[in-house]
Amino acid sequence: MKSRQRNRAGPPGRWPGPGGRPVDPARAGGQTQIMSVPTLQWLDPPRGPAVALLDQTRLPAEEGVVTCENVPELVDAIHRLVIRGAPILGVAGAFGVALAACRGDDVAAAARLLSEARPTAVNLAWGTRRALAAYQAALGRAPEPDHQNPDPQRLAAGAALDEARAIAAEDAAASVAMARHGLGLIPEGARVLTHCNTGSLVSAGGGTAFAVILAAHRAGRLTRLYVDETRPLLQGARLTAYEAQRAGIDYAVLPDSAAAGLLASGAVDVVLTGADRIAADGSVANKVGTYNLAVLAHYHSVPLVVVAPVSTIDFGTATGAEIVVEHRAAWEVTTLGGQLLAPAGSASYNPAFDVTPASLVSALITERGITQPVTTGNLRLLSAPPPRRKSAPADVSVEL
């Protein structure tokens, strides 16, 4: 695994996009308006095949890049949260399958490693399965008689890569659609509270909840964004504040424990969060602390709105009780910045996620529209697959 870094940059100008084309940051709907380094970039030979990732563990101090030359390196990067967030993990899983195929590795074994890397984030396994299915289908097809390259392995690798690019394109388009739908739920002069990180760092586009926040900011509806610090790894303080600052949003970071007092004061009009997995009954698994906010918001009659693509809904998991919640290492809680916070050897309770019942979710925004109330029957209406996008738009935020 190769790593390089760059000093934190100012507002981006133009840089190479898919196929080497320049991407214009002024174009609507893409991460390119905020980020100067792509969250994920596919590298063709001679630099690849490889997957280059913006190292989110080093933000906001520096924009470092981790280059994964094989699937074990990519899985390690996922474990370490170099890349995190449900939608972009689906993209990463698909490109991981393509990477294994292009290298001539055991693709099925690589797909298993990827799918199991983080058990709660449903998009990771979903994107991996899609790319694997494309690879296996192409491998089973006879090549065209006049095809210049009849090598079935190479054709199948190309199919996996095409599928990964399609997933990235769909995710970018979903971000635009969610922002458009969600804007209608944001009142004039809104004061929004958000948790964890849901912007372009978690997506091939503008993100999920943060895409709605950014749309409200651009429409002149956002008065103040409140950002939970999001213990233990501070994704709110480090990453959402980083994205908000670069977008020119008026924001304030607060301790997670201050959210109750903030809501009680009447200073919040709506709580916006993302999701890592949504069960068929509408229960939402998201970064730990979301359930706290949901209970507080309900008590203070403040709507809690979840923003996530349909791919994050797991129709095969009937209820929230069936969602497997990932637990992470003790050091994430007992240390901070490499310094001990608790006595050496302290045990910890460190779930990465909690599960919010659907009864506490005021609305779900997906690329298909607004689901309200969030019920099993209403979610079932979203289960039919939409028409597939055939090519990536020029302004997707993942460089292909």
Side-chain angles (χ1 to χ4, degrees), residues 272-372:
L272 287 175
T273 76
D276 287 87
R277 185 186 295 252
I278 300 172
D281 70 346
S283 299
V284 175
N286 193 49
K287 176 55 59 183
V288 67
T290 302
Y291 185 24
N292 301 33
L293 283 185
V295 172
L296 290 167
H298 181 74
Y299 181 81
H300 294 290
S301 301
V302 174
L304 179 133
V305 177
V306 174
V307 188
V310 172
S311 57
T312 300
I313 304 173
D314 180 6
F315 294 101
T317 297
T319 68
E322 298 176 24
I323 296 176
V324 176
V325 173
E326 175 187 0
H327 283 248
R328 295 184 60 84
W331 67 262
E332 292 183 351
V333 175
T334 59
T335 68
L336 183 65
Q339 300 297 313
L340 276 173
L341 297 176
S346 293
S348 78
Y349 176 70
N350 187 21
F353 309 96
D354 55 27
V355 180
T356 298
S359 59
L360 298 180
V361 179
S362 303
L364 170 64
I365 299 169
T366 71
E367 67 271 33
R368 311 271 188 89
I370 300 171
T371 298
Q372 191 176 31

Side-chain angles (χ1 to χ4, degrees), residues 42-51 67-70 98-104:
W42 172 261
L43 301 179
D44 281 314
R47 292 190 297 161
V51 177
T67 301
C68 304
E69 298 179 343
N70 53 57
L99 176 61
C102 289
R103 285 172 47 86

Side-chain angles (χ1 to χ4, degrees), residues 70-76 78-79 93 96-97 100 105-119 124-125 128 132:
N70 53 57
V71 166
E73 290 179 353
L74 180 56
V75 169
D76 176 67
I78 292 170
H79 282 152
V97 171
D105 295 337
D106 185 332
V107 177
R112 283 193 298 273
L113 284 175
L114 288 161
S115 295
E116 296 168 0
R118 298 202 67 192
L124 177 57
T128 299
L132 178 63

